[in-house]
Amino acid sequence: MLEFRHMQVVVIDDNPIDHFLATTLVRQINLEKEPVCLASVDEALAFLHHIESSAVQPMIILLDINMPEKNGFDFLEAFAAMPLWLRDACRVIMLSSSVSQPEIEKAQASPFVTRYLSKPLTVQKLVEVLEELAG
């Protein structure tokens, strides 16, 4: 069983307030690593492309749906082409303020989305997800 405190949280969201909130929550639950906060899909893909297979660690990706230029679904499409070892190390959690039922259903139907959470992120939601994924 993996201790969730060893997981790396990666936030893909264009909103700096959501970056601040995720960083604050990660610090509150004492994860070993600071979250990686990325403001766009392109930044996130560049980050993932630079991870070496020997350095991969379990990652939780908190992915917003609605972002300018490329959205969360664009990320998922590109993520599908990532190496299997990287996809296996990542668990994507859609974290969005969207109340659009078609968007929620599309997110839940993705083979790469482990869970859909509504914003705002809270300590309880984060710990619940981390414990579930570590178990």
Side-chain angles (χ1 to χ4, degrees):
M1 178 162 114
L2 177 68
E3 166 60 42
F4 76 77
R5 295 192 194 290
H6 301 294
M7 293 183 179
Q8 174 70 62
V9 174
V10 177
V11 181
I12 306 170
D13 196 313
D14 61 309
N15 187 338
I17 293 170
D18 288 316
H19 290 188
F20 175 78
L21 179 59
T23 300
T24 301
L25 296 178
V26 164
R27 287 177 181 159
Q28 284 180 4
I29 61 174
N30 297 317
L31 291 185
E32 289 181 352
K33 297 176 173 52
E34 288 285 310
V36 174
C37 295
L38 305 162
S40 71
V41 168
D42 288 336
E43 276 185 46
L45 295 173
F47 170 78
L48 292 175
H49 279 295
H50 285 92
I51 295 174
E52 298 291 331
S53 60
S54 60
V56 73
Q57 58 188 302
M59 275 185 274
I60 305 303
I61 298 175
L62 301 176
L63 177 64
D64 189 22
I65 292 177
N66 296 308
M67 293 179 277
E69 296 175 29
K70 294 181 183 173
N71 64 30
F73 297 114
D74 295 321
F75 172 83
L76 293 173
E77 186 176 316
F79 185 73
M82 295 276 177
L84 181 60
W85 57 264
L86 182 60
R87 292 192 323 253
D88 284 348
C90 299
R91 296 296 172 264
V92 179
I93 309 299
M94 279 286 199
L95 179 65
S96 182
S97 57
S98 176
V99 292
S100 163
Q101 196 58 39
E103 281 186 343
I104 294 169
E105 289 172 4
K106 184 176 179 181
Q108 292 172 331
S110 171
F112 303 112
V113 175
T114 303
R115 197 144 172 218
Y116 182 93
L117 293 177
S118 296
K119 286 183 181 180
L121 185 62
T122 64
V123 167
Q124 179 181 347
K125 288 178 185 177
L126 184 57
V127 168
E128 181 182 304
V129 166
L130 292 172
E131 286 179 340
E132 177 183 310
L133 295 176

